[in-house]
Amino acid sequence: MLRGFVVVGAMVIAWAVAGIFLYVAPPAEEPVHADVLFVLGPPDRRMGYAEQLMQQGYAPTLAVSSPTGKDGRFTADVCNSVRPYRVICFTPEPFTTQGEARTLRDLSNQYGWKSADVLTAQFHVTRARVIVDRCYKGGLHMVADRTGLPLVSLTNPTYSWAYQYLYQTAAFVKVAIHPEC
């Protein structure tokens, strides 16, 4: 029985350490000048960083994955306002990272994009890279919106490291089971 606890404990420690490299400090690139800054949903706090990058001229087009409200309008504020750069908002089908990757592929074919900075939350970078690489064959830079998360949050559990470790790990299993674009 003690041996079983030791094995389980070692597995939990290995998972926690691996998570540091997969979720907390994933390999991400700095933004580069690209044809599009492509923001994976939901359009939350990372939109502020996206707007900064657009104002700095990293891309002529901002593409934002956004759900629509009951009124049929996109929920991301940037979708319903005028900017000095092109804004393309879309609701992927399905509303998943895989749906977003397919949309990047399709929009790239439509607009002739050859390079993309893909912006997502830092805990999502590694998994999103795997999925986007399956669909998009252009120059890809995965850009992390680095946000400080608490270890655990009772008020907003989805924005905590504990939740993201569990969610992202389970989502990686889905990625392994469904290797298609």
Side-chain angles (χ1 to χ4, degrees), residues 108-147:
S108 293
N109 291 337
Q110 180 180 348
Y111 292 104
W113 299 334
K114 304 289 184 222
S115 60
D117 285 341
V118 176
L119 176 62
T120 191
Q122 75 190 56
F123 50 77
H124 187 228
V125 166
T126 306
R127 185 170 59 86
R129 181 190 311 274
V130 171
I131 296 168
V132 173
D133 268 340
R134 291 176 179 171
C135 298
Y136 179 69
K137 301 307 174 198
L140 176 64
H141 286 84
M142 296 300 298
V143 179
D145 177 31
R146 301 200 183 273
T147 55

Side-chain angles (χ1 to χ4, degrees), residues 86-108:
R86 177 192 283 171
V87 177
I88 298 173
C89 293
F90 63 92
T91 302
E93 182 58 42
F95 201 101
T96 63
T97 307
Q98 186 178 39
E100 291 167 331
R102 291 174 183 160
T103 301
L104 174 59
R105 176 199 61 203
D106 296 345
L107 289 174
S108 293

Side-chain angles (χ1 to χ4, degrees), residues 24-92:
V24 179
E29 292 91 20
E30 291 298 315
V32 298
H33 293 281
D35 294 326
V36 63
L37 175 61
F38 195 86
V39 183
L40 301 182
D44 54 13
R45 357 179 153 181
R46 70 191 75 140
M47 288 308 301
Y49 185 39
E51 295 259 21
Q52 286 177 4
L53 295 175
M54 292 305 294
Q55 290 167 2
Q56 293 170 8
Y58 278 99
T61 303
L62 174 65
V64 179
S65 177
S66 176
T68 55
K70 292 179 183 174
D71 61 359
R73 295 171 50 120
F74 290 105
T75 58
D77 292 338
V78 71
C79 300
N80 304 306
S81 59
V82 177
R83 295 290 192 271
Y85 42 83
R86 177 192 283 171
V87 177
I88 298 173
C89 293
F90 63 92
T91 302

